[in-house]
Amino acid sequence: MMDFTRRNLVMTAGGVLAATAVGGPVWANPDRKMGYAIVGLGGYGLGIIIPQFKYCQHSKLVALVSGDPVKARKVAGEYGVPEANIYDYKNYDRIKDNPDIDIVYICLPVSMHAEYTIRGAKAGKHVLCEKPMAISSAECESMIAACKQAGKKLMIGYRCHFEPFNLEARRLARSGAIGKLRYFRSEHGYTTGGNNWRVKKAMSGGGSLMDIGIYALQAARYMTGEEPISVYAKETTDRSDPRFRDVEDMIEFQLEFPSGVIGSCMSMYSANRNQFLLMGDKGRIEMEPATGYQGQKLWVGDGRKNEITAPPNASANQFAGQLDHMAQSVMQDRTPIVPGEEGLRDIRIIEAVYRSAREHKRIALK
């Protein structure tokens, strides 16, 4: 994995500010790092998120929740987590008795997001939940309501909001660098295997759209700065392929925005692609890879002649930025920039995409 610096980003509606520039209430002990419990020690929680805490300024790993006690003890030993701070899914609610835990990060299959978010909030903890937020908008609403009732913050793990090249692309698009924006295109996909929870609809809520296509949808929204008003979608899936007996492979969807901008997105589980393109009347902005864990490349102007290699804070770590942003949102009593309502909006649009593909018609969005 790429070696990142400890520099941290906090994004506001207008861009990115250094964490020290953010105002608001000051935590009672500003030198204390917020304690995280990672819920789920699968590939993402263990392989991607846990190693990022060493780059954080305001966050630390203090607890683990896993159904595999042997793995949990091994991980705890490697990362200095006390064995007393290891929980399983049955005694998860006991986290309420542990003052070291401020935030739980839900890194579980999508079908488990709602339950463990709600239980976490009821246990008195703030919640950072991986994307997609849940398998339905109804579940998203329940998660938001539970956190509000408990007086706890809820943030969704949209890490690209903390990734420097994405932030620079967004800044350029909104600054008029390519003139009036006319068209957005994004294609996101990878070749999936057939033996994982992501191809089981009961656990994932859907196929490529829920897993990787949501990046295309998110990019369309945060790059244009608009909310789509309608969607039209078409699914193409080979049901004889054992990988796709339960979920979709390819789904393409067109988004219409109030300004007249058209977004064209493709999601797929049978080909590798990670790209977006913004076309204005005076030029273009392109990223490929766009939303990967690392290695982003950005071009602006005419084709790929002008590559932006050093945007502001280019060495910053999107994962540490995300963890620290949630920590600072708690410390300063601020709403995270990607709250539960952001995740709910995506799921509502995804539900409309699926409906459009089923009914073969344009769906107006509320």
Side-chain angles (χ1 to χ4, degrees), residues 201-246:
K201 189 173 182 180
M203 299 181 73
S204 63
S208 69
L209 178 59
M210 290 285 281
D211 181 23
I212 189 73
I214 195 170
Y215 286 104
L217 172 59
Q218 259 284 301
R221 295 178 56 224
Y222 65 71
M223 286 296 165
T224 63
E226 297 186 63
E227 294 296 342
I229 57 176
S230 72
V231 62
Y232 184 83
K234 178 183 178 183
E235 179 190 338
T236 304
T237 301
D238 178 3
R239 295 296 177 184
S240 68
D241 188 323
R243 295 175 298 172
F244 308 127
R245 290 174 180 169
D246 203 25

Side-chain angles (χ1 to χ4, degrees), residues 2-233:
M2 183 183 295
D3 184 25
F4 296 99
T5 70
R6 288 170 55 92
R7 296 165 70 187
N8 175 45
L9 300 179
V10 174
M11 193 182 82
T12 67
V16 180
L17 295 176
T20 53
V22 180
V26 178
W27 189 250
N29 183 359
D31 295 326
R32 176 182 177 267
K33 292 185 176 183
M34 293 289 97
Y36 272 86
I38 299 300
V39 185
L41 299 182
Y44 192 73
L46 176 56
I48 301 299
I49 295 301
I50 287 179
Q52 308 304 325
F53 282 99
K54 63 185 175 183
Y55 305 112
C56 291
Q57 296 179 12
H58 308 284
S59 313
K60 64 179 179 179
L61 176 66
V62 299
L64 304 170
V65 182
S66 173
D68 186 335
V70 175
K71 178 193 282 189
R73 284 194 294 270
K74 181 176 183 293
V75 175
E78 290 174 353
Y79 288 94
V81 174
E83 195 161 325
N85 286 6
I86 298 175
Y87 301 85
D88 60 33
Y89 300 127
K90 292 182 180 179
N91 68 15
Y92 171 65
D93 307 282
R94 286 173 46 200
I95 61 174
K96 69 177 181 293
D97 301 320
N98 191 334
D100 292 339
I101 301 172
D102 302 290
I103 304 163
V104 293
Y105 190 163
I106 312 300
C107 297
L108 295 167
V110 185
S111 61
M112 301 172 75
H113 286 185
E115 177 185 349
Y116 285 87
T117 291
I118 293 169
R119 287 171 68 183
K122 288 182 177 179
K125 308 304 178 183
H126 303 279
V127 182
L128 173 54
C129 179
E130 232 341 274
K131 49 62 57 185
M133 184 175 173
I135 63 172
S136 69
S137 57
E139 282 195 349
C140 294
E141 290 166 355
S142 296
M143 295 159 73
I144 292 169
C147 289
K148 286 184 175 178
Q149 183 175 1
K152 299 300 172 181
K153 300 190 185 302
L154 173 59
M155 175 174 158
I156 308 305
Y158 289 125
R159 57 182 169 76
C160 294
H161 286 253
F162 305 91
E163 197 286 307
F165 286 86
N166 275 262
L167 293 171
E168 180 65 1
R170 192 188 75 158
R171 185 193 69 79
L172 290 166
R174 298 186 185 186
S175 72
I178 58 171
K180 182 177 175 59
L181 185 60
R182 300 300 304 138
Y183 175 69
F184 173 89
R185 185 185 76 210
S186 183
E187 298 172 358
H188 274 67
Y190 65 93
T191 304
T192 188
N195 187 27
N196 63 80
W197 63 263
R198 289 178 175 82
V199 296
K200 299 174 182 178
K201 189 173 182 180
M203 299 181 73
S204 63
S208 69
L209 178 59
M210 290 285 281
D211 181 23
I212 189 73
I214 195 170
Y215 286 104
L217 172 59
Q218 259 284 301
R221 295 178 56 224
Y222 65 71
M223 286 296 165
T224 63
E226 297 186 63
E227 294 296 342
I229 57 176
S230 72
V231 62
Y232 184 83

Side-chain angles (χ1 to χ4, degrees), residues 298-320:
L298 169 64
W299 298 269
V300 61
D302 182 12
R304 293 190 172 185
K305 296 178 182 178
N306 179 28
E307 182 178 355
I308 306 298
T309 58
N313 297 291
S315 61
N317 177 339
Q318 60 184 310
F319 302 100

Side-chain angles (χ1 to χ4, degrees), residues 247-269:
V247 298
E248 82 279 355
D249 173 16
M250 293 192 294
I251 191 162
E252 54 185 313
F253 55 100
Q254 186 179 88
L255 302 168
E256 179 185 353
F257 292 93
S259 67
V261 172
I262 297 298
S264 179
C265 301
M266 171 68 84
S267 174
M268 53 202 142
Y269 260 166

